[in-house]
Coordinates of all heavy atoms in Angstrom, one line a residue:
M1 N 39.3 57.9 -191.5 CA 37.9 57.4 -191.6 C 38.0 56.0 -192.4 O 38.6 56.0 -193.4 CB 37.0 58.4 -192.3 CG 35.6 57.8 -192.6 SD 34.6 58.9 -193.6 CE 34.2 60.2 -192.5
A2 N 37.3 55.0 -191.8 CA 37.3 53.8 -192.5 C 36.5 53.9 -193.8 O 35.5 54.6 -193.9 CB 36.6 52.7 -191.6
K3 N 37.0 53.2 -194.8 CA 36.3 53.2 -196.1 C 35.1 52.3 -196.1 O 35.1 51.2 -195.5 CB 37.2 52.8 -197.2 CG 38.3 53.9 -197.5 CD 39.1 53.5 -198.7 CE 40.1 54.6 -199.1 NZ 40.7 54.4 -200.4
L4 N 34.0 52.6 -196.8 CA 32.9 51.8 -197.0 C 33.2 50.7 -198.1 O 33.5 51.1 -199.2 CB 31.7 52.6 -197.4 CG 30.4 51.8 -197.7 CD1 29.8 51.3 -196.4 CD2 29.4 52.7 -198.4
G5 N 33.1 49.5 -197.7 CA 33.4 48.4 -198.7 C 32.1 48.1 -199.6 O 31.1 47.8 -199.0
V6 N 32.3 48.3 -200.9 CA 31.2 48.1 -201.8 C 31.4 46.9 -202.7 O 32.5 46.8 -203.3 CB 30.9 49.4 -202.6 CG1 29.8 49.2 -203.6 CG2 30.6 50.6 -201.7
G7 N 30.4 46.1 -202.9 CA 30.5 45.0 -203.9 C 29.6 45.3 -205.0 O 28.5 45.9 -204.9
L8 N 30.1 45.0 -206.2 CA 29.3 45.2 -207.4 C 28.7 43.9 -207.9 O 29.4 42.9 -208.2 CB 30.2 45.8 -208.6 CG 29.6 45.9 -210.0 CD1 28.4 46.9 -210.0 CD2 30.6 46.2 -211.0
L9 N 27.4 43.9 -208.0 CA 26.7 42.7 -208.6 C 26.2 43.0 -209.9 O 25.3 43.9 -210.1 CB 25.5 42.3 -207.6 CG 24.8 41.0 -208.0 CD1 25.7 39.8 -208.0 CD2 23.6 40.8 -207.1
G10 N 26.7 42.4 -210.9 CA 26.4 42.7 -212.3 C 27.4 43.6 -213.0 O 27.5 44.8 -212.7
C11 N 28.2 43.0 -213.8 CA 29.4 43.7 -214.4 C 29.1 44.0 -215.9 O 30.0 43.9 -216.8 CB 30.6 42.8 -214.3 SG 31.0 42.4 -212.6
G12 N 27.9 44.5 -216.2 CA 27.5 44.9 -217.5 C 27.8 46.4 -217.7 O 28.6 47.0 -217.0
G13 N 27.0 47.0 -218.6 CA 27.3 48.4 -219.0 C 27.2 49.4 -217.8 O 28.2 50.1 -217.5
I14 N 26.1 49.4 -217.1 CA 25.9 50.4 -216.0 C 26.7 50.0 -214.8 O 27.2 50.9 -214.1 CB 24.4 50.6 -215.7 CG1 24.2 52.0 -215.1 CG2 23.9 49.5 -214.8 CD1 24.5 53.1 -216.1
G15 N 26.9 48.7 -214.5 CA 27.7 48.3 -213.4 C 29.1 48.8 -213.5 O 29.7 49.4 -212.6
L16 N 29.7 48.6 -214.7 CA 31.1 49.0 -214.9 C 31.2 50.6 -214.9 O 32.1 51.1 -214.4 CB 31.6 48.5 -216.2 CG 32.0 47.0 -216.2 CD1 32.3 46.6 -217.6 CD2 33.1 46.7 -215.3
H17 N 30.1 51.2 -215.4 CA 30.1 52.7 -215.4 C 30.2 53.2 -214.0 O 31.1 54.1 -213.7 CB 28.8 53.2 -216.1 CG 28.6 54.6 -216.0 ND1 29.1 55.6 -216.8 CD2 27.8 55.3 -215.1 CE1 28.7 56.8 -216.5 NE2 27.9 56.7 -215.4
H18 N 29.4 52.7 -213.1 CA 29.5 53.1 -211.7 C 30.8 52.7 -211.0 O 31.4 53.5 -210.3 CB 28.3 52.6 -210.9 CG 27.0 53.2 -211.3 ND1 26.8 54.6 -211.3 CD2 25.8 52.7 -211.7 CE1 25.5 54.9 -211.6 NE2 24.9 53.8 -211.9
A19 N 31.2 51.5 -211.3 CA 32.4 51.0 -210.6 C 33.6 51.8 -210.9 O 34.5 52.0 -210.1 CB 32.6 49.5 -211.0
R20 N 33.7 52.2 -212.2 CA 34.9 53.0 -212.6 C 34.9 54.3 -211.8 O 36.0 54.9 -211.6 CB 34.9 53.3 -214.1 CG 35.1 52.0 -214.9 CD 35.0 52.2 -216.4 NE 35.2 51.0 -217.1 CZ 34.4 50.6 -218.1 NH1 33.3 51.2 -218.5 NH2 34.7 49.4 -218.7
R21 N 33.8 54.8 -211.4 CA 33.7 56.0 -210.6 C 33.9 55.7 -209.1 O 34.6 56.5 -208.4 CB 32.4 56.8 -210.9 CG 32.5 57.5 -212.2 CD 31.2 57.6 -213.0 NE 31.4 58.2 -214.3 CZ 31.9 57.5 -215.4 NH1 32.1 56.2 -215.2 NH2 32.1 58.1 -216.5
L22 N 33.4 54.6 -208.7 CA 33.6 54.3 -207.3 C 35.0 54.1 -206.9 O 35.4 54.5 -205.8 CB 32.9 52.9 -207.0 CG 31.4 52.9 -206.7 CD1 30.9 51.5 -206.5 CD2 31.2 53.7 -205.4
V23 N 35.8 53.5 -207.7 CA 37.2 53.3 -207.4 C 38.0 54.6 -207.2 O 39.1 54.6 -206.7 CB 37.9 52.3 -208.4 CG1 37.3 51.0 -208.3 CG2 38.0 52.9 -209.8
R24 N 37.4 55.7 -207.7 CA 38.1 57.0 -207.5 C 37.7 57.8 -206.3 O 38.1 58.8 -206.0 CB 37.9 57.9 -208.8 CG 38.4 57.2 -210.0 CD 38.7 58.2 -211.1 NE 37.5 59.0 -211.5 CZ 36.8 58.8 -212.6 NH1 37.1 57.8 -213.4 NH2 35.7 59.6 -212.9
Q25 N 36.7 57.2 -205.5 CA 36.2 57.9 -204.3 C 37.1 57.7 -203.1 O 37.6 56.6 -202.9 CB 34.8 57.4 -204.0 CG 33.8 57.6 -205.1 CD 33.6 59.0 -205.6 OE1 33.4 59.9 -204.7 NE2 33.7 59.3 -206.9
E26 N 37.2 58.7 -202.3 CA 38.1 58.7 -201.2 C 37.6 57.8 -200.1 O 38.4 57.1 -199.4 CB 38.2 60.1 -200.7 CG 39.2 60.3 -199.5 CD 39.3 61.7 -199.0 OE1 38.8 62.6 -199.7 OE2 40.0 61.9 -198.0
H27 N 36.3 57.8 -199.8 CA 35.8 57.1 -198.6 C 35.1 55.8 -199.0 O 34.4 55.2 -198.2 CB 34.8 58.0 -197.9 CG 35.4 59.2 -197.4 ND1 36.5 59.2 -196.5 CD2 35.2 60.6 -197.7 CE1 36.9 60.5 -196.3 NE2 36.1 61.3 -197.0
V28 N 35.2 55.3 -200.2 CA 34.6 54.1 -200.7 C 35.7 53.2 -201.3 O 36.6 53.7 -201.9 CB 33.5 54.4 -201.8 CG1 33.0 53.1 -202.4 CG2 32.4 55.2 -201.2
E29 N 35.6 51.9 -201.0 CA 36.5 50.9 -201.6 C 35.7 49.8 -202.3 O 34.9 49.2 -201.6 CB 37.4 50.3 -200.5 CG 38.4 49.3 -201.1 CD 39.3 48.8 -200.1 OE1 39.1 49.0 -198.8 OE2 40.2 48.0 -200.5
L30 N 35.9 49.7 -203.6 CA 35.3 48.6 -204.3 C 36.0 47.3 -203.8 O 37.3 47.2 -204.0 CB 35.4 48.8 -205.8 CG 34.7 47.7 -206.6 CD1 33.2 47.8 -206.5 CD2 35.1 47.9 -208.1
V31 N 35.3 46.4 -203.2 CA 36.0 45.2 -202.6 C 35.7 43.9 -203.4 O 36.3 42.9 -203.0 CB 35.6 45.0 -201.1 CG1 36.2 46.2 -200.3 CG2 34.1 44.9 -201.0
G32 N 34.9 43.9 -204.4 CA 34.7 42.7 -205.2 C 33.6 42.9 -206.2 O 32.8 43.8 -206.1
V33 N 33.6 42.1 -207.2 CA 32.6 42.1 -208.3 C 32.1 40.7 -208.5 O 32.8 39.7 -208.2 CB 33.2 42.6 -209.6 CG1 33.6 44.1 -209.5 CG2 34.3 41.7 -210.1
A34 N 30.8 40.6 -208.9 CA 30.2 39.3 -209.2 C 29.3 39.4 -210.4 O 28.7 40.5 -210.7 CB 29.4 38.8 -208.0
D35 N 29.2 38.3 -211.2 CA 28.3 38.3 -212.3 C 28.0 36.9 -212.6 O 28.7 36.0 -212.3 CB 29.0 38.9 -213.6 CG 28.0 39.3 -214.7 OD1 27.5 38.4 -215.3 OD2 27.8 40.5 -214.8
A36 N 26.8 36.6 -213.1 CA 26.3 35.3 -213.5 C 27.2 34.7 -214.6 O 27.3 33.5 -214.8 CB 24.9 35.3 -213.9
V37 N 27.8 35.6 -215.4 CA 28.7 35.2 -216.5 C 30.1 35.3 -216.0 O 30.6 36.4 -215.8 CB 28.4 36.0 -217.8 CG1 29.4 35.6 -218.9 CG2 27.0 35.9 -218.2
P38 N 30.8 34.2 -215.8 CA 32.1 34.3 -215.2 C 33.1 35.2 -216.0 O 33.9 35.9 -215.4 CB 32.6 32.8 -215.2 CG 31.4 32.0 -215.3 CD 30.4 32.8 -216.0
E39 N 33.0 35.2 -217.3 CA 33.9 36.0 -218.1 C 33.7 37.5 -217.8 O 34.6 38.3 -217.9 CB 33.7 35.7 -219.6 CG 34.1 34.3 -220.1 CD 33.1 33.2 -219.7 OE1 32.0 33.6 -219.3 OE2 33.4 32.0 -219.9
A40 N 32.4 37.9 -217.6 CA 32.2 39.3 -217.3 C 32.8 39.7 -216.0 O 33.4 40.7 -215.8 CB 30.6 39.5 -217.3
A41 N 32.6 38.8 -215.0 CA 33.2 39.1 -213.7 C 34.7 39.1 -213.8 O 35.4 40.0 -213.2 CB 32.8 38.0 -212.6
A42 N 35.3 38.2 -214.5 CA 36.8 38.1 -214.6 C 37.3 39.4 -215.3 O 38.4 39.9 -214.9 CB 37.2 36.9 -215.4
S43 N 36.6 39.8 -216.4 CA 37.1 41.0 -217.1 C 37.0 42.2 -216.2 O 37.9 43.0 -216.1 CB 36.2 41.2 -218.3 OG 36.5 42.4 -219.0
A44 N 35.9 42.4 -215.4 CA 35.8 43.5 -214.5 C 36.8 43.4 -213.4 O 37.4 44.4 -213.0 CB 34.4 43.5 -213.9
S45 N 37.1 42.2 -212.9 CA 38.1 42.0 -211.9 C 39.4 42.5 -212.4 O 40.2 43.2 -211.7 CB 38.1 40.5 -211.5 OG 39.2 40.2 -210.7
A46 N 39.8 42.1 -213.6 CA 41.1 42.5 -214.1 C 41.2 44.0 -214.3 O 42.2 44.6 -214.0 CB 41.3 41.7 -215.5
E47 N 40.1 44.6 -214.8 CA 40.2 46.0 -215.1 C 40.2 46.8 -213.8 O 41.0 47.8 -213.7 CB 38.9 46.5 -215.9 CG 38.9 48.0 -216.0 CD 37.7 48.5 -216.7 OE1 37.0 47.8 -217.4 OE2 37.4 49.7 -216.4
L48 N 39.4 46.4 -212.8 CA 39.3 47.2 -211.6 C 40.2 46.8 -210.4 O 40.3 47.5 -209.4 CB 37.8 47.1 -211.1 CG 36.8 47.6 -212.1 CD1 35.4 47.2 -211.8 CD2 36.8 49.2 -212.2
G49 N 40.9 45.7 -210.6 CA 41.9 45.3 -209.6 C 41.3 44.8 -208.3 O 41.8 45.0 -207.2
V50 N 40.1 44.1 -208.4 CA 39.4 43.6 -207.2 C 39.0 42.1 -207.5 O 38.9 41.7 -208.6 CB 38.2 44.4 -206.8 CG1 38.5 45.8 -206.5 CG2 37.1 44.4 -207.9
P51 N 38.8 41.3 -206.4 CA 38.4 39.9 -206.7 C 37.1 39.8 -207.4 O 36.2 40.6 -207.2 CB 38.3 39.4 -205.2 CG 39.0 40.4 -204.3 CD 38.9 41.7 -205.0
A52 N 37.0 38.7 -208.1 CA 35.7 38.3 -208.8 C 35.1 37.1 -208.0 O 35.8 36.2 -207.6 CB 36.0 37.9 -210.2
F53 N 33.7 37.2 -207.9 CA 33.0 36.1 -207.2 C 31.9 35.6 -208.2 O 31.5 36.3 -209.1 CB 32.4 36.6 -205.9 CG 33.4 37.1 -205.0 CD1 33.7 38.4 -204.9 CD2 34.1 36.2 -204.2 CE1 34.7 38.9 -204.0 CE2 35.0 36.6 -203.3 CZ 35.3 38.0 -203.2
A54 N 31.4 34.4 -208.0 CA 30.6 33.7 -208.9 C 29.2 34.3 -209.0 O 28.5 34.3 -210.0 CB 30.5 32.2 -208.6
G55 N 28.6 34.8 -207.9 CA 27.3 35.3 -207.9 C 26.9 35.9 -206.6 O 27.8 36.3 -205.8
Y56 N 25.6 36.1 -206.4 CA 25.1 36.8 -205.2 C 25.8 36.3 -203.9 O 26.3 37.1 -203.1 CB 23.6 36.5 -204.9 CG 22.6 36.9 -205.9 CD1 21.7 35.9 -206.3 CD2 22.5 38.1 -206.4 CE1 20.7 36.2 -207.2 CE2 21.5 38.5 -207.3 CZ 20.6 37.5 -207.7 OH 19.6 37.8 -208.5
D57 N 25.6 35.0 -203.7 CA 26.0 34.5 -202.4 C 27.5 34.6 -202.0 O 27.8 35.0 -200.9 CB 25.5 33.1 -202.2 CG 24.0 33.0 -202.2 OD1 23.4 33.9 -201.6 OD2 23.4 32.1 -202.8
D58 N 28.3 34.3 -203.0 CA 29.7 34.4 -202.8 C 30.2 35.9 -202.5 O 31.0 36.1 -201.6 CB 30.5 33.9 -204.0 CG 30.4 32.4 -204.1 OD1 30.0 31.7 -203.1 OD2 30.7 31.8 -205.2
L59 N 29.6 36.8 -203.2 CA 29.9 38.2 -203.0 C 29.4 38.7 -201.6 O 30.1 39.3 -200.8 CB 29.4 39.1 -204.1 CG 29.6 40.6 -204.0 CD1 31.1 40.9 -204.1 CD2 28.8 41.4 -205.0
L60 N 28.1 38.4 -201.4 CA 27.5 38.9 -200.2 C 28.0 38.3 -198.9 O 28.0 38.9 -197.8 CB 25.9 38.7 -200.2 CG 25.2 39.3 -201.4 CD1 23.7 39.1 -201.2 CD2 25.5 40.8 -201.6
A61 N 28.6 37.1 -199.0 CA 29.2 36.5 -197.8 C 30.5 37.1 -197.4 O 30.9 36.9 -196.3 CB 29.4 35.0 -198.1
R62 N 31.1 37.9 -198.2 CA 32.3 38.5 -197.8 C 32.2 39.6 -196.7 O 31.3 40.5 -196.9 CB 33.0 39.2 -199.0 CG 33.3 38.3 -200.2 CD 34.2 37.2 -199.9 NE 35.5 37.7 -199.3 CZ 36.4 36.9 -198.8 NH1 36.3 35.6 -198.8 NH2 37.5 37.4 -198.3
P63 N 32.9 39.4 -195.7 CA 32.7 40.4 -194.5 C 33.0 41.8 -194.9 O 32.5 42.7 -194.2 CB 33.7 39.8 -193.5 CG 34.6 38.9 -194.2 CD 33.9 38.4 -195.4
E64 N 33.9 42.0 -195.9 CA 34.3 43.4 -196.2 C 33.2 44.1 -197.1 O 33.3 45.3 -197.3 CB 35.6 43.4 -197.0 CG 35.7 42.6 -198.3 CD 36.0 41.2 -198.1 OE1 35.7 40.6 -197.1 OE2 36.6 40.6 -199.1
V65 N 32.2 43.4 -197.5 CA 31.1 44.0 -198.3 C 30.0 44.6 -197.3 O 29.2 43.9 -196.7 CB 30.4 42.9 -199.2 CG1 29.2 43.6 -200.0 CG2 31.5 42.4 -200.2
A66 N 30.1 45.9 -197.2 CA 29.1 46.6 -196.3 C 27.9 47.1 -197.1 O 26.9 47.4 -196.6 CB 29.8 47.7 -195.6
A67 N 28.1 47.3 -198.4 CA 27.1 47.8 -199.3 C 27.2 47.1 -200.6 O 28.3 46.7 -201.1 CB 27.2 49.3 -199.4
V68 N 26.1 47.0 -201.3 CA 26.0 46.3 -202.6 C 25.4 47.2 -203.7 O 24.3 47.7 -203.4 CB 25.2 45.0 -202.5 CG1 25.3 44.2 -203.8 CG2 25.8 44.1 -201.4
L69 N 26.1 47.3 -204.8 CA 25.5 48.0 -205.9 C 24.9 47.0 -206.8 O 25.7 46.1 -207.4 CB 26.6 48.9 -206.7 CG 26.1 49.5 -208.0 CD1 24.9 50.4 -207.8 CD2 27.3 50.2 -208.6
V70 N 23.6 46.9 -206.9 CA 22.9 45.9 -207.7 C 22.7 46.5 -209.2 O 22.0 47.4 -209.4 CB 21.5 45.6 -207.1 CG1 20.8 44.5 -208.0 CG2 21.7 45.1 -205.7
A71 N 23.4 45.9 -210.1 CA 23.4 46.4 -211.5 C 23.1 45.2 -212.4 O 23.7 45.1 -213.5 CB 24.7 47.1 -211.8
T72 N 22.3 44.3 -212.0 CA 21.8 43.2 -212.8 C 20.5 43.6 -213.5 O 19.9 44.7 -213.2 CB 21.6 42.0 -211.9 OG1 20.8 42.4 -210.8 CG2 22.9 41.4 -211.4
P73 N 19.9 42.8 -214.3 CA 18.6 43.2 -214.9 C 17.5 43.4 -213.9 O 17.5 42.8 -212.8 CB 18.3 42.0 -215.8 CG 19.7 41.4 -216.1 CD 20.5 41.6 -214.9
N74 N 16.5 44.2 -214.2 CA 15.5 44.6 -213.3 C 14.9 43.5 -212.5 O 14.6 43.5 -211.3 CB 14.4 45.4 -214.0 CG 14.8 46.8 -214.4 OD1 15.9 47.2 -214.0 ND2 14.0 47.5 -215.1
H75 N 14.5 42.4 -213.3 CA 13.8 41.3 -212.6 C 14.6 40.6 -211.5 O 14.0 39.8 -210.8 CB 13.3 40.3 -213.7 CG 14.3 39.4 -214.2 ND1 15.1 39.9 -215.3 CD2 14.8 38.2 -213.9 CE1 16.0 38.9 -215.6 NE2 15.8 37.9 -214.8
T76 N 15.9 40.8 -211.4 CA 16.7 40.2 -210.4 C 16.9 41.1 -209.2 O 17.5 40.6 -208.2 CB 18.0 39.8 -211.0 OG1 18.8 41.0 -211.2 CG2 17.9 38.9 -212.2
H77 N 16.5 42.3 -209.3 CA 16.8 43.3 -208.2 C 16.2 42.9 -206.9 O 16.8 43.1 -205.8 CB 16.4 44.7 -208.6 CG 17.2 45.3 -209.7 ND1 17.2 46.7 -209.9 CD2 18.1 44.8 -210.5 CE1 18.1 46.9 -210.9 NE2 18.6 45.8 -211.3
R78 N 15.0 42.5 -206.9 CA 14.3 42.2 -205.7 C 15.0 41.1 -204.9 O 15.3 41.3 -203.7 CB 12.8 41.8 -205.9 CG 12.0 41.5 -204.7 CD 10.6 41.2 -205.1 NE 9.7 41.1 -203.9 CZ 9.5 40.1 -203.2 NH1 10.2 38.9 -203.5 NH2 8.7 40.1 -202.1
E79 N 15.3 40.0 -205.5 CA 16.0 38.9 -204.8 C 17.4 39.4 -204.3 O 17.7 39.1 -203.1 CB 16.2 37.7 -205.8 CG 16.8 36.6 -205.1 CD 17.1 35.4 -206.0 OE1 16.6 35.4 -207.1 OE2 17.7 34.4 -205.6
A80 N 18.1 40.0 -205.1 CA 19.5 40.5 -204.7 C 19.4 41.5 -203.6 O 20.2 41.4 -202.6 CB 20.2 41.1 -205.9
T81 N 18.5 42.4 -203.7 CA 18.3 43.4 -202.6 C 17.9 42.8 -201.3 O 18.5 43.1 -200.2 CB 17.3 44.5 -203.1 OG1 17.8 45.1 -204.3 CG2 17.1 45.5 -202.0
L82 N 16.9 41.9 -201.3 CA 16.5 41.3 -200.1 C 17.6 40.4 -199.5 O 17.7 40.3 -198.2 CB 15.2 40.4 -200.4 CG 14.0 41.2 -200.7 CD1 12.8 40.3 -201.0 CD2 13.6 42.2 -199.5
R83 N 18.4 39.7 -200.3 CA 19.5 38.9 -199.7 C 20.5 39.8 -199.0 O 21.0 39.5 -197.9 CB 20.2 38.1 -200.8 CG 19.4 37.0 -201.3 CD 20.2 36.1 -202.1 NE 19.5 35.1 -202.9 CZ 19.9 34.0 -203.5 NH1 21.2 33.8 -203.4 NH2 19.2 33.2 -204.2
A84 N 20.8 40.9 -199.6 CA 21.8 41.9 -199.0 C 21.2 42.5 -197.8 O 21.9 42.5 -196.7 CB 22.1 43.0 -200.0
I85 N 20.0 42.9 -197.8 CA 19.3 43.5 -196.6 C 19.3 42.5 -195.5 O 19.6 42.8 -194.3 CB 17.9 44.0 -196.9 CG1 18.0 45.3 -197.8 CG2 17.2 44.3 -195.6 CD1 16.7 45.7 -198.3
G86 N 19.0 41.2 -195.8 CA 19.0 40.1 -194.8 C 20.3 40.0 -194.1 O 20.4 39.4 -193.0
R87 N 21.4 40.4 -194.8 CA 22.7 40.3 -194.2 C 23.2 41.6 -193.5 O 24.3 41.8 -193.1 CB 23.8 39.9 -195.2 CG 23.7 38.5 -195.8 CD 24.7 38.3 -196.9 NE 24.7 36.9 -197.3 CZ 25.4 36.0 -196.8 NH1 26.2 36.2 -195.7 NH2 25.4 34.7 -197.3
G88 N 22.3 42.6 -193.5 CA 22.6 43.9 -192.9 C 23.4 44.8 -193.8 O 23.9 45.8 -193.3
Q89 N 23.4 44.5 -195.1 CA 24.2 45.3 -196.0 C 23.3 46.3 -196.7 O 22.1 46.1 -196.9 CB 24.8 44.4 -197.1 CG 25.8 43.5 -196.6 CD 26.1 42.2 -197.4 OE1 25.2 41.7 -198.0 NE2 27.3 41.8 -197.4
A90 N 23.8 47.5 -196.9 CA 23.1 48.6 -197.6 C 23.1 48.2 -199.1 O 24.0 47.5 -199.6 CB 23.8 49.9 -197.4
T91 N 22.1 48.7 -199.8 CA 22.0 48.4 -201.2 C 21.6 49.6 -202.0 O 21.0 50.6 -201.5 CB 20.9 47.3 -201.5 OG1 19.6 47.9 -201.3 CG2 21.1 46.1 -200.7
S92 N 22.0 49.6 -203.2 CA 21.6 50.6 -204.2 C 21.4 49.9 -205.5 O 22.2 49.1 -206.0 CB 22.7 51.7 -204.4 OG 22.3 52.6 -205.4
S93 N 20.2 50.1 -206.1 CA 19.9 49.4 -207.4 C 20.0 50.4 -208.6 O 19.4 51.5 -208.5 CB 18.5 48.8 -207.3 OG 18.5 47.8 -206.4
A94 N 20.7 49.9 -209.6 CA 20.7 50.7 -210.9 C 19.4 50.4 -211.6 O 19.2 49.3 -212.0 CB 21.9 50.3 -211.7
R95 N 18.6 51.4 -211.8 CA 17.3 51.2 -212.5 C 17.1 52.4 -213.4 O 17.3 53.5 -213.0 CB 16.1 51.0 -211.6 CG 16.1 49.8 -210.8 CD 14.7 49.6 -210.2 NE 13.9 48.9 -211.1 CZ 13.2 47.8 -210.9 NH1 13.3 47.2 -209.7 NH2 12.4 47.3 -211.8
S96 N 16.7 52.1 -214.6 CA 16.4 53.2 -215.5 C 15.0 53.7 -215.3 O 14.7 54.8 -215.7 CB 16.7 52.8 -217.0 OG 16.3 51.5 -217.2
R97 N 14.2 52.9 -214.6 CA 12.8 53.4 -214.3 C 12.4 52.7 -213.0 O 12.5 51.5 -212.8 CB 11.9 52.9 -215.4 CG 10.5 53.3 -215.2 CD 9.6 52.8 -216.4 NE 9.4 51.3 -216.2 CZ 8.4 50.7 -215.6 NH1 7.5 51.5 -215.0 NH2 8.3 49.4 -215.5
W98 N 11.9 53.5 -212.0 CA 11.4 53.0 -210.8 C 10.0 52.5 -211.0 O 9.1 53.3 -211.5 CB 11.5 54.0 -209.7 CG 10.8 53.6 -208.4 CD1 9.7 54.0 -207.8 CD2 11.3 52.5 -207.6 NE1 9.5 53.3 -206.7 CE2 10.4 52.4 -206.5 CE3 12.4 51.6 -207.7 CZ2 10.5 51.4 -205.5 CZ3 12.5 50.6 -206.7 CH2 11.6 50.5 -205.6
P99 N 9.6 51.3 -210.7 CA 8.3 50.8 -211.1 C 7.2 51.3 -210.3 O 6.0 51.2 -210.7 CB 8.5 49.3 -210.8 CG 9.5 49.2 -209.8 CD 10.5 50.3 -210.1
G100 N 7.4 52.0 -209.2 CA 6.3 52.5 -208.3 C 5.9 51.5 -207.3 O 6.3 50.3 -207.4
P101 N 5.3 51.9 -206.2 CA 5.0 51.0 -205.1 C 4.2 49.8 -205.4 O 4.5 48.7 -204.9 CB 4.3 51.9 -204.1 CG 4.0 53.2 -204.8 CD 4.8 53.3 -206.1
S102 N 3.2 49.9 -206.3 CA 2.3 48.7 -206.5 C 3.1 47.7 -207.3 O 3.1 46.5 -207.0 CB 1.1 49.1 -207.2 OG 1.4 49.7 -208.4
E103 N 3.8 48.1 -208.3 CA 4.6 47.2 -209.1 C 5.8 46.6 -208.4 O 6.0 45.4 -208.4 CB 5.1 47.9 -210.4 CG 5.6 46.9 -211.4 CD 6.1 47.7 -212.7 OE1 5.8 48.9 -212.8 OE2 6.7 47.1 -213.5
S104 N 6.5 47.4 -207.6 CA 7.7 47.0 -206.9 C 7.3 45.9 -205.8 O 8.1 45.1 -205.5 CB 8.4 48.1 -206.3 OG 7.6 48.8 -205.3
A105 N 6.1 46.0 -205.3 CA 5.7 45.0 -204.3 C 5.6 43.6 -204.8 O 5.6 42.7 -204.0 CB 4.4 45.5 -203.7
T106 N 5.5 43.5 -206.1 CA 5.3 42.2 -206.7 C 6.5 41.7 -207.5 O 6.4 40.6 -208.1 CB 4.1 42.1 -207.6 OG1 4.2 43.1 -208.6 CG2 2.8 42.5 -206.8
R107 N 7.6 42.5 -207.5 CA 8.7 42.1 -208.4 C 10.0 42.0 -207.5 O 10.1 42.5 -206.5 CB 8.9 43.2 -209.4 CG 7.8 43.2 -210.4 CD 7.9 44.3 -211.4 NE 9.1 44.2 -212.2 CZ 9.4 45.0 -213.2 NH1 8.7 46.1 -213.4 NH2 10.5 44.9 -213.9
Ligands
NAD201 N1 22.6 50.9 -219.3 C1 22.1 52.0 -218.8 O1 22.3 53.1 -219.3 C2 21.3 52.0 -217.5 C3 21.0 53.2 -216.9 C4 20.4 53.2 -215.7 C5 20.0 52.0 -215.1 N2 20.2 50.8 -215.8 C6 19.8 49.6 -215.1 O2 20.9 48.9 -214.7 C7 20.6 47.5 -214.8 C8 21.6 46.8 -215.6 O3 21.6 47.3 -217.0 P1 22.8 47.2 -217.9 O4 22.6 48.0 -219.1 O5 24.1 47.3 -217.2 O6 22.7 45.6 -218.4 P2 23.8 44.6 -218.9 O7 23.0 43.5 -219.6 O8 24.8 45.3 -219.7 O9 24.5 44.0 -217.6 C9 23.8 43.2 -216.7 C10 24.8 42.2 -216.1 O10 24.2 41.5 -215.1 C11 24.6 40.1 -215.2 N3 23.5 39.3 -214.5 C12 22.3 38.9 -215.0 N4 21.6 38.2 -214.1 C13 22.5 38.1 -213.0 C14 22.4 37.4 -211.8 N5 21.3 36.8 -211.4 N6 23.4 37.5 -210.9 C15 24.6 38.1 -211.3 N7 24.7 38.8 -212.5 C16 23.7 38.7 -213.3 C17 24.7 39.9 -216.7 O11 25.5 38.8 -217.0 C18 25.3 41.2 -217.1 O12 26.7 41.2 -217.1 C19 19.1 47.4 -215.3 O13 18.3 47.3 -214.2 C20 19.0 48.7 -216.0 O14 17.6 49.1 -216.1 C21 20.9 50.8 -216.9

């Protein structure tokens, strides 16, 4: 079975938490990481053994990225998610609180 290629956007606390578990999954392959702070992406890249990209667009443009784990601050989730969906990629957002339909429609 082909592995699902996953890109990590946001290499902070929860992004790294999930990524460390993703790399142990049989049917999933972490294929790249990106962060607005180059040092954060570089550190995650070195730890996880995958390429680092500068931000949304460089990561999402990679053909091996079939799904994106969005682990950036809440206010950036909408843009990141819509960009990924626009490319036909699946997304999952790390959120400690779901804002609900009325709030999410405006954020
Ligand atoms: N920390 C937790 O326990 C926890 C639990 C559940 C959900 N969450 C959610 O996960 C998300 C991230 O939380 P965190 O604690 O990991 O934050 P964090 O600040 O540790 O990490 C966020 C990372 O995103 C990067 N970033 C910010 N804007 C960016 C952009 N536009 N493009 C690329 N990278 C960008 C930052 O440089 C940083 O490395 C939040 O939405 C939070 O609510 C966190």
